[in-house]
């Protein structure tokens, strides 16, 4: 198994290992922009069950989990030269909100399968709890239907997360291809006062269940603020996320200005130096848990996005930094490969409508329906000029509340209705659209990564 030795991860034979790979977003933690639904995962599942029933919904979702990642996917990643996959998971696979603290061991079924497939190809897994009870951050990717991170407000939610991690750590304590545990993805404790003591408690509990595996701990405010750590825990990687401003959907030309800020390789390097200051000061390994641009479909613009990625990888290579690119597979925004066939045929027009409305936070340019929303933004700026809501300010907060919650939730019935009348074989065909041999490969991205990983 891997462990931390100074600024490196090493094997039991003291061979340094630089983990480089991809995040398996949208699988055991589904996300709206990845598989094409609106709002958050639990709300979507509820809407689909209401249309086709519990049994047939289970048929579809279980087949989707089986098809989304198979031996072929593991072979593709190994062939690129990757040695790590960060696997986001949702607590709902192990625990139901109406039966808290009762752990369902069936939650391990697909996770065990994929960790085994990856290990057979020499690829480590980092298990990332992406959605915690009560939601540890304010956004959809923690399966949050609101804008409130209630996890930090209620000890009950924290108790449940600690208990789940005790079970996960005990289950994988002897697994050599599990690189370690990423217990809280992108935490966002508004006060900054709860997260430090919680991490102290969580680390102690996980170490009691599994003293050997590495802990990968995100900083507060979406893994950007490490001032909350009260000590440097042993055998721990402090994980930063490093999204580039020019790589967002609203990013401008590269090099060039985005939202009034000049973006080029020097700016990327300065940003990375700032984000990695804590790791350098504490002499701990440098590992970027998430980064990567989104793509527009415009060849000229996408060439600039590839250059953003190329420059980030060059920075990481020069400083011996490990990384996990976001994300592996989706419906076309960011993945190395993306679904095609019956699923895209069925939901393509709906996905286009979401894009037109800017319903997904990830992928929105913040300019969709500008004629409707501009007066609201002007009102907020005029009437509440000093309002600075956590985490990203008034403009983002207004967009989150109107676009990414209200509009997104209003779209849920329309998405669910697209399942109505489908037979079992049609449901299975939708899920199988995510099989690798039925996906479109984003070759410029695949070629870029293969070149970086094999030279």
């Amino acid at each position: 198994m891997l462990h931390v030795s100074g600024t490196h991860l090493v094997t039991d034979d003291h061979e340094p290992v630089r983990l480089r790979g991809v995040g398996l977003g949208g699988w055991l933690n589904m996300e709206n922009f990845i598989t094409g639904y609106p709002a958050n995962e639990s709300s979507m599942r509820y809407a689909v069950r209401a249309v086709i029933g519990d049994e047939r919904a289970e048929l579809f979702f279980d087949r989707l989990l089986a098809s989304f990642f198979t031996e072929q996917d593991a072979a593709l990643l190994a062939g690129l030269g990757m040695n790590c996959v960060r696997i986001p998971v949702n607590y709902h696979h192990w625990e139901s909100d109406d039966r808290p603290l009762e752990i369902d061991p069936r939650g391990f079924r697909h996770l065990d399968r994929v960790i085994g497939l990856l290990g057979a190809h020499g690829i480590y897994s980092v298990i990332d709890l992406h959605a915690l009870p009560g939601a540890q951050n304010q956004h959809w990717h923690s399966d949050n239907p609101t804008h409130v991170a209630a996890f930090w407000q209620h000890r009950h939610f924290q108790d449940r997360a600690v208990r789940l991690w005790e079970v996960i750590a005990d289950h994988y304590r002897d697994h050599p291809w599990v690189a370690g545990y990423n217990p809280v993805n992108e935490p966002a404790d508004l006060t900054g006062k709860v997260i430090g003591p919680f991490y102290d408690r969580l680390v102690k509990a996980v170490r009691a269940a599994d003293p050997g595996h590495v802990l990968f701990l995100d900083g507060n405010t979406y893994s950007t603020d490490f001032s909350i750590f009260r000590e440097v825990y042993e055998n721990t990687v402090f994980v930063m996320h490093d999204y580039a401003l020019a790589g967002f959907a609203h990013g401008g030309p590269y090099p060039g200005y985005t939202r009034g800020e000049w973006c080029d390789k020097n700016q990327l390097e300065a940003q990375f130096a700032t984000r990695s200051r804590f790791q350098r000061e504490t002499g701990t390994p440098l590992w970027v848990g998430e980064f990567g641009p989104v793509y527009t479909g415009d060849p000229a613009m996408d060439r600039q996005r590839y250059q953003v990625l190329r420059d980030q990888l060059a920075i990481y290579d020069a400083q011996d930094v490990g990384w996990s690119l976001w994300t592996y597979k989706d419906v076309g925004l960011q993945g190395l490969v993306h679904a095609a066939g019956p699923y895209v045929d069925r939901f393509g027009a709906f996905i286009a409508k979401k894009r037109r409305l800017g319903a997904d936070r990830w992928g929105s340019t913040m300019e969709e329906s500008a004629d409707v929303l501009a007066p609201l933004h002007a009102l907020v700026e005029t009437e509440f000029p000093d309002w600075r809501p956590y985490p990203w300010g008034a403009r983002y907060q207004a967009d989150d509340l109107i676009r990414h919650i209200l509009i997104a939730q209003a779209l849920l019935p329309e998405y669910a209705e697209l399942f109505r009348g489908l037979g079992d074989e049609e449901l299975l065909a939708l899920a199988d659209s995510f099989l690798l041999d039925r996906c479109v490969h984003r070759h410029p991205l695949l070629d870029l990564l293969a070149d970086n990983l094999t030279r």
Side-chain angles (χ1 to χ4, degrees):
M1 291 190 293
L2 299 181
H3 62 275
V4 172
S5 178
T7 59
H8 292 90
L9 287 166
V10 299
T11 66
D12 289 334
D13 296 328
H14 305 291
E15 290 292 325
V17 175
R18 181 182 169 209
L19 294 179
R20 295 182 293 170
V22 71
L24 187 52
W27 182 56
L28 283 178
N29 185 71
M30 296 180 71
E31 295 195 42
N32 48 37
F33 77 93
I34 295 180
T35 51
Y37 68 86
N40 64 300
E41 179 179 356
S42 291
S43 298
M44 177 273 292
R45 285 177 176 263
Y46 180 85
V48 172
R49 287 197 305 270
V51 169
I52 64 175
D54 291 344
E55 184 175 329
R56 300 183 71 242
E58 180 63 23
L59 173 73
F60 169 73
F61 287 117
D62 190 67
R63 182 63 162 255
L64 181 61
L65 291 179
S67 299
F68 200 94
F69 199 91
T70 70
E71 197 278 336
Q72 286 183 302
D73 296 284
L76 171 67
L77 298 181
L80 291 172
M82 292 183 176
N83 65 355
C84 176
V85 170
R86 180 172 174 258
I87 306 178
V89 301
N90 189 316
Y91 78 96
H92 278 121
H93 288 283
W94 287 269
E95 186 196 40
S96 171
D97 288 327
D98 62 359
R99 302 179 73 88
L101 297 170
E102 296 184 19
I103 304 299
D104 186 347
R106 290 177 298 178
F108 287 109
R109 182 166 59 96
H110 284 290
L111 186 56
D112 283 349
R113 174 180 65 83
V114 167
I115 288 174
L117 289 174
L118 292 169
H121 285 273
I123 299 175
Y124 289 98
S125 296
V126 174
I127 302 170
D128 149 39
L129 191 56
H130 222 75
L132 278 68
Q136 77 280 6
N137 61 46
Q138 292 78 17
H139 288 109
W140 80 98
H141 47 86
S142 60
D143 199 6
N144 190 346
T146 77
H147 67 294
V148 177
F151 179 85
W152 307 108
Q153 299 176 0
H154 301 281
R155 173 73 178 226
H156 165 73
F157 292 136
Q158 299 161 33
D159 292 344
R160 289 164 61 184
V162 170
R163 175 58 184 150
L164 177 56
W165 269 113
E166 289 173 333
V167 172
I168 294 174
D170 181 68
H171 185 81
Y172 291 111
R173 61 178 294 149
D174 297 318
H175 203 303
W177 287 107
V178 172
Y181 312 127
N182 190 184
V184 188
N185 175 69
E186 294 192 338
D189 172 15
L190 169 65
T191 68
K193 297 177 180 178
V194 181
I195 185 172
F198 173 73
Y199 264 138
D200 289 344
R201 178 188 176 201
L202 179 67
V203 168
K204 184 177 180 179
V206 173
R207 292 287 191 231
D210 177 359
H213 274 105
V214 176
L215 287 176
F216 293 79
L217 301 185
D218 285 21
N220 196 26
T221 312
Y222 296 75
S223 208
T224 63
D225 174 16
F226 297 88
S227 65
I228 49 90
F229 288 106
R230 306 192 299 181
E231 64 177 285
V232 177
Y233 311 109
E234 292 185 4
N235 204 28
T236 297
V237 174
F238 295 92
V239 181
M240 75 200 85
H241 291 183
D242 191 30
Y243 287 105
L245 181 61
F248 289 139
H250 60 264
Y254 181 83
Y257 285 98
T258 294
R259 304 287 183 189
E261 182 175 340
W262 178 260
C263 299
D264 61 7
K265 187 177 180 182
N266 289 335
Q267 180 266 337
L268 291 177
E269 195 156 16
Q271 172 183 271
F272 180 68
T274 298
R275 290 178 173 175
S276 60
R277 181 178 295 123
F278 176 85
Q279 290 80 354
R280 298 175 192 282
E281 291 176 349
T282 56
T284 52
L286 293 168
W287 195 67
V288 178
E290 288 185 22
F291 74 111
V294 300
Y295 302 100
T296 66
D298 176 81
M301 182 65 75
D302 285 348
R303 281 195 294 272
Q304 296 177 28
R305 300 294 165 88
Y306 292 130
Q307 190 59 48
V308 171
L309 178 59
R310 195 175 286 111
D311 285 349
Q312 285 188 292
L313 291 174
I315 292 166
Y316 301 158
D317 287 342
Q319 301 179 46
D320 201 27
V321 179
W323 47 263
S324 176
L325 181 70
W326 193 259
T327 184
Y328 171 52
K329 185 181 286 188
D330 64 5
V331 291
L333 181 69
Q334 195 173 15
L336 279 61
V337 302
H338 57 85
Y343 190 89
V344 174
D345 293 341
R346 186 81 178 177
F347 295 99
F350 177 82
I351 293 170
K353 180 176 181 176
K354 279 202 309 166
R355 187 180 304 116
R356 173 171 58 82
L357 295 172
D360 296 342
R361 175 72 164 78
W362 197 247
S364 168
T365 64
M366 300 174 64
E367 300 299 335
E368 300 88 354
S369 304
D371 56 333
V372 177
L373 294 182
L376 172 65
H377 291 307
L379 174 69
V380 171
E381 291 171 4
T382 301
E383 298 291 346
F384 317 109
D386 298 323
W387 187 45
R388 299 288 185 272
Y390 179 89
W392 311 125
R395 173 62 195 270
Y396 283 93
Q397 186 84 328
D399 260 26
D400 283 342
L401 291 170
I402 301 301
R403 276 192 226 277
H404 314 310
I405 296 177
L406 176 61
I407 291 176
Q409 291 180 3
L411 283 165
L412 279 167
E414 184 175 340
Y415 175 80
E417 280 296 320
L418 290 169
F419 286 87
R420 190 177 297 280
L422 297 178
D424 288 357
E425 291 304 314
E426 291 173 300
L427 290 173
L428 295 177
L430 291 180
D432 287 347
S433 299
F434 287 87
L435 286 166
L436 181 59
D437 61 7
R438 302 180 191 182
C439 285
V440 177
H441 289 53
R442 194 186 296 275
H443 281 291
L445 178 56
L446 291 165
D447 294 344
L448 187 162
L449 292 170
D451 178 66
N452 175 269
L453 289 161
T454 56
R455 58 182 162 81

